[in-house]
Amino acid sequence: MEAFTVVEAVVAPLDRPNVDTDAIIPKQFLKTIERKGLGKHLFDAWRYLERDGKQVNIPEFVLNQPAYAGAQILLARENFGCGSSREHAPWALADYGFRAVIAPSFADIFANNCVQNGILLVRLPMDVVDHLFHEVAANPGYRLRIDLPAQEVQTMGDSRYTFPMDAGHKHKLMHGLDDIQLTLQHEGAIRAYETRRRQSAPWLFRDASPRSGQI
Amino acid sequence: MSAKTLYDKLWESHVVHTEQDGGVLLYIDRQLLHEVTSPQAFSGLRAAGRKAWRIDANIATADHNVPTTDRAAGIADVTSRLQVDTLDQNCAEFGIEEFGMHDKRQGIVHVIAPEQGLTLPGMTVVCGDSHTATHGALGALAFGIGTTEVEHVLATQCLWARKSKSMCIWVGGELGNGVTAKDLVLAIIGRIGTAGGTGYAIEFAGPAVQALSVEGRMTLCNMAIEAGARSGMVGVDAVTIDYLRGRPYAPVGKVWDQAVAVWGELHSDPDAQFDAEIRLEATDVAPQVTWGTSPEMVVDISAHVPDPALEKDPVRRKGWSDALAYMDLAAATPISSIALDKVFIGSCTNARIEDLRAAAAVARGHHKAASVKAVLVVPGSGLVKAQAEAEGLDRIFRDAGFEWREPGCSMCLAMNADRLEPGERCASTSNRNFEGRQGAGGRTHLVSPAMAAAAAIAGHFVDVRDWVVH
């Protein structure tokens, strides 16, 4: 996983609240058994339409506008990433090239999934997000700099906005860590827990307790 | 000892280790696997040369991609078939028990685990699926996770987590005739919004909740995620214990007695404090119908489609306008005048036997409206299907011109062949009315099973409380 420290990039604005993971990556692309290659389907239903059996770009959609080519920062509204737990949503965002999403709030499962994939979620107050939407609209090619160690969003005009961050998530993002290795350092504690639970609640272990077994 | 919430008890009994920064290594008792969100997790294990930590904690089934028509013909779609075959191979390789496509216990993962007694009170239950919240109905801590976390649970039987805040949604009184758990949860989401529960674990409590069957409680907890909460739960009572007794994977004998004694403690203490409390009266809840593209866009059956011009907040106003444009609805349209092209009765929200009974009670002696192209009834599991057939419900549906299908997720998210065509309008007992959820360009209105059946027969929404049962 790519470590995240500082990213300076073009900002793409997506001006709608409650963007759900079905919109980020529709179900027809969940049939893959791979993690890669979903970027071309990101926001599929808003990005493309079918004409004479061919897929054509919808020119109004933000990712189809030349001004936002190469954008690595997505600016969004509240409750971004709600709905389905599909990790295909952050996979698609990352595969497209997005490194960070800025919004007033994010859905819980989506937020967890982003940390697993090196995507930084930046929570800024509603009025700041509003202001950034105005700035992006007024300034073609608008860029922001996101400094994770400092927990700051910096404009090219030198305004700075600090954002909150879970310390554990920050550490993980900055170092691109694999959780499983970290967890297996606690193997002894996990085994001790299981031994206690087998005593106090044997019904939780299918190999340790009798059951009717009837269908 | 201070008073504890049910969530406190469930959380504390699963803490393996606490980091200095407050991050907790939480033990997971049960992981449910399905074909859509597991292939990359198994690939990850394989690539790292890892085994499953505790095979018996896992159970798998194929539900999202499976056809609901003739199973003997297999899966026509190549990519769907690959995903289902991949699950079969992964389960065989890692030694995980699977209810395959031709097993009569197969079905929607959130229907079969409680049905089999694989979900038990006091458990932590996870699945790569946001509707895992369903299992909280049995007094479990259940929540959806992403695929990287699925791999993490397979490899370590644990997850890194932080405790959520707690919310109690207390429902007084009792639901009126024709008003169901589905209407109650839609009304709750309408009130607190789709982000109202973000960051919270929700406990549903109060006389109206206790009066619900376990099936009804599952409908309620299922849609906690539609209010933004990863988990919903209901305390254990006699209804829970009666539901579990004799289930195939539930304990028996002395261990059962021991378990029941422990489960009896799985409710919030009387003086427990919640971070947020919401109260409502069940008698105020009418049958609900969603009009937009988010579950919070919901009104009573007697109401009209709202007018965005009356909404003061500009972001919400634009959201409503976008929704009405997508749904092809005009402000002030009476909900009861909205005509349907298709009706879907199924999903992890409403495909249990009680749901099918409610739909059949409405459909009995009627026939679907000529203007309604298709009515799909998709049971939640092979065993629900068998039970419904034993009760003659399939006959009632067939006589009404409804299609009686094989179990699976079906048109809740249209990963198999069951879907809406662009522009089609559907009354659906599922959980999400997002754009394109039931098929690109499809328009979804969420309702209860009885409301869906009544709409199928009338051709438009009707108040099921006025329905004359034959």
Side-chain angles (χ1 to χ4, degrees):
Chain A
M1 192 165 80
E2 195 178 351
F4 194 115
T5 46
V6 177
V7 167
E8 188 200 308
V10 169
V11 180
L14 186 63
D15 194 1
R16 27 193 321 164
N18 299 317
V19 171
D20 57 74
T21 53
D22 275 79
I24 297 172
I25 185 82
K27 70 266 184 171
Q28 60 268 36
F29 307 111
L30 306 190
K31 296 182 186 182
T32 177
I33 56 170
E34 312 287 336
R35 286 173 192 251
K36 297 276 175 201
L38 290 170
K40 57 183 178 290
H41 306 303
L42 179 67
F43 298 118
D44 185 88
W46 294 339
R47 192 167 156 197
Y48 311 112
L49 53 82
E50 222 173 81
R51 192 178 291 150
D52 307 325
K54 274 190 188 159
Q55 180 177 284
V56 292
N57 285 352
I58 298 172
E60 296 78 22
F61 187 65
V62 57
L63 299 188
N64 293 327
Q65 296 177 25
Y68 305 112
Q72 291 180 35
I73 299 171
L74 186 67
L75 181 63
R77 293 289 186 183
E78 64 262 33
N79 200 26
F80 187 85
C82 61
S84 156
S85 62
R86 58 189 68 171
E87 195 165 317
H88 309 67
W91 292 339
L93 285 164
D95 192 60
Y96 180 88
F98 282 116
R99 303 292 318 281
V101 186
I102 301 174
S105 59
F106 298 93
D108 288 341
I109 302 178
F110 175 77
N112 259 356
N113 286 339
C114 281
V115 179
Q116 312 289 358
N117 289 280
I119 298 176
L120 172 63
L121 299 184
V122 177
R123 291 169 182 81
L124 289 177
M126 201 85 84
D127 57 328
V128 174
V129 170
D130 254 341
H131 172 70
L132 293 176
F133 268 104
H134 285 125
E135 290 292 301
V136 173
N139 303 288
Y142 185 79
R143 298 171 77 85
L144 285 171
R145 188 167 186 275
I146 302 177
D147 183 331
L148 177 57
Q151 294 181 221
E152 256 185 13
V153 174
Q154 300 156 358
T155 70
M156 299 303 113
D158 252 3
S159 296
R160 289 160 186 267
Y161 306 102
T162 56
F163 57 88
M165 193 73 209
D166 178 285
H169 289 177
K170 180 176 178 178
H171 181 75
K172 199 165 139 62
L173 283 167
M174 285 179 57
H175 298 91
L177 291 178
D178 171 355
D179 262 0
I180 293 178
Q181 267 174 317
L182 182 70
T183 304
L184 289 175
Q185 292 171 6
H186 299 284
E187 184 174 345
I190 302 171
R191 299 227 180 266
Y193 175 89
E194 285 181 329
T195 304
R196 287 198 306 275
R197 289 289 269 184
R198 275 180 186 274
Q199 291 296 319
S200 63
W203 56 89
L204 296 173
F205 298 81
R206 283 161 58 194
D207 51 5
S209 76
R211 61 185 60 80
S212 71
Q214 301 302 307
I215 293 170
Chain B
M1 203 171 68
S2 62
K4 288 178 179 173
T5 63
L6 170 59
Y7 178 56
D8 290 334
K9 294 178 186 181
L10 292 170
W11 179 269
E12 288 167 12
S13 59
H14 289 88
V15 174
V16 170
H17 167 81
T18 306
E19 292 280 280
Q20 277 184 341
D21 71 359
V24 161
L25 194 59
L26 198 70
Y27 192 80
I28 303 302
D29 296 310
R30 178 74 70 238
Q31 171 152 258
L32 313 169
L33 298 157
H34 64 81
E35 78 277 18
V36 180
T37 57
S38 68
Q40 296 86 350
F42 283 110
S43 307
L45 284 188
R46 201 176 286 116
R50 290 181 174 128
K51 289 181 164 29
W53 177 278
R54 216 191 101 200
I55 291 166
D56 82 295
N58 298 280
I59 189 85
T61 197
D63 54 7
H64 286 63
N65 279 278
V66 296
T68 59
T69 48
D70 182 15
R71 286 277 161 86
I75 303 175
D77 182 278
V78 177
T79 50
S80 285
R81 190 168 67 228
L82 175 63
Q83 218 167 36
V84 173
D85 289 349
T86 302
L87 180 68
D88 293 346
Q89 287 159 14
N90 283 330
C91 287
E93 180 184 337
F94 286 86
I96 289 168
E97 188 175 5
E98 184 196 7
F99 300 149
M101 196 171 85
H102 300 287
D103 190 311
K104 65 180 169 181
R105 296 167 296 178
Q106 178 270 340
I108 305 172
V109 66
H110 306 309
V111 174
I112 67 170
E115 183 176 82
Q116 289 294 319
L118 284 159
T119 301
L120 296 172
M123 276 184 167
T124 42
V125 181
V126 297
C127 175
D129 191 291
S130 59
H131 290 111
T132 308
T134 311
H135 307 264
L138 289 160
L141 175 58
F143 52 94
I145 57 176
T147 299
T148 301
E149 290 177 313
V150 170
E151 181 182 340
H152 192 277
V153 174
L154 278 168
T156 70
Q157 213 51 52
C158 293
L159 276 179
W160 289 100
R162 270 174 200 279
K163 200 172 174 189
S164 302
K165 290 179 284 184
S166 62
M167 177 185 288
C168 178
I169 298 183
W170 194 92
V171 192
E174 61 182 312
L175 292 168
N177 271 338
V179 185
T180 66
K182 180 63 164 291
D183 302 298
L184 175 58
V185 73
L186 283 170
I188 289 168
I189 296 162
R191 173 152 155 201
I192 71 173
T194 48
T198 303
Y200 288 93
I202 295 179
E203 179 177 344
F204 298 97
V209 174
Q210 286 193 293
L212 293 172
S213 64
V214 168
E215 285 86 349
R217 297 173 187 187
M218 286 196 245
T219 300
L220 204 55
C221 292
N222 173 274
M223 289 190 71
I225 184 66
E226 262 56 69
R230 288 180 81 177
S231 54
M233 62 196 78
V234 175
V236 172
D237 60 11
V239 176
T240 325
I241 305 296
D242 286 345
Y243 174 90
L244 287 165
R245 188 177 287 112
R247 300 264 162 199
Y249 289 85
V252 294
K254 268 189 198 159
V255 181
W256 166 263
D257 297 337
Q258 191 188 348
V260 168
V262 171
W263 294 343
E265 298 299 313
L266 293 173
H267 51 75
S268 290
D269 296 332
D271 301 330
Q273 296 292 310
F274 292 85
D275 296 305
E277 281 194 64
I278 287 167
R279 285 180 168 259
L280 65 162
E281 284 299 317
T283 42
D284 296 340
V285 178
Q288 302 286 297
V289 182
T290 65
W291 53 266
T293 53
S294 164
E296 70 183 20
M297 297 173 175
V298 64
V299 289
D300 292 359
I301 173 65
S302 59
H304 297 72
V305 173
D307 187 349
L310 301 175
E311 172 58 44
K312 290 191 182 71
D313 177 73
V315 175
R316 271 173 70 92
R317 185 162 64 235
K318 182 173 177 299
W320 286 17
S321 298
D322 288 348
L324 290 188
Y326 181 84
M327 294 296 288
D328 190 29
L329 286 174
T333 303
I335 294 293
S336 59
S337 74
I338 298 172
L340 288 319
D341 300 304
K342 286 182 178 165
V343 174
F344 172 62
I345 298 171
S347 88
C348 58
T349 312
N350 280 132
R352 287 169 283 269
I353 190 66
E354 172 178 299
D355 302 312
L356 300 186
R357 286 177 189 147
V362 169
R364 186 191 302 272
H366 291 283
H367 197 273
K368 77 170 179 66
S371 56
V372 173
K373 287 183 252 183
V375 183
L376 267 61
V377 186
V378 184
S381 71
L383 295 178
V384 168
K385 180 168 186 268
Q387 175 69 27
E389 288 173 353
E391 295 179 18
L393 305 185
D394 60 321
R395 194 55 176 277
I396 294 171
F397 291 132
R398 285 200 175 102
D399 288 348
F402 296 8
E403 295 173 35
W404 179 242
R405 297 292 191 93
E406 297 294 326
C409 299
S410 180
M411 210 162 72
C412 172
L413 85 170
M415 278 192 75
N416 69 351
D418 309 335
R419 67 189 61 171
L420 297 181
E421 297 302 321
E424 282 185 337
R425 188 180 298 285
C426 182
S428 177
T429 67
S430 54
N431 38 58
R432 290 187 175 137
N433 50 351
F434 297 158
E435 286 186 20
R437 172 81 179 182
Q438 295 193 288
R443 300 177 175 127
T444 303
H445 296 273
L446 303 176
V447 289
S448 74
M451 285 287 287
I457 288 153
H460 56 86
F461 289 114
V462 290
D463 190 336
V464 75
R465 293 173 299 182
D466 302 332
W467 197 258
V468 180
V469 174
H470 282 214

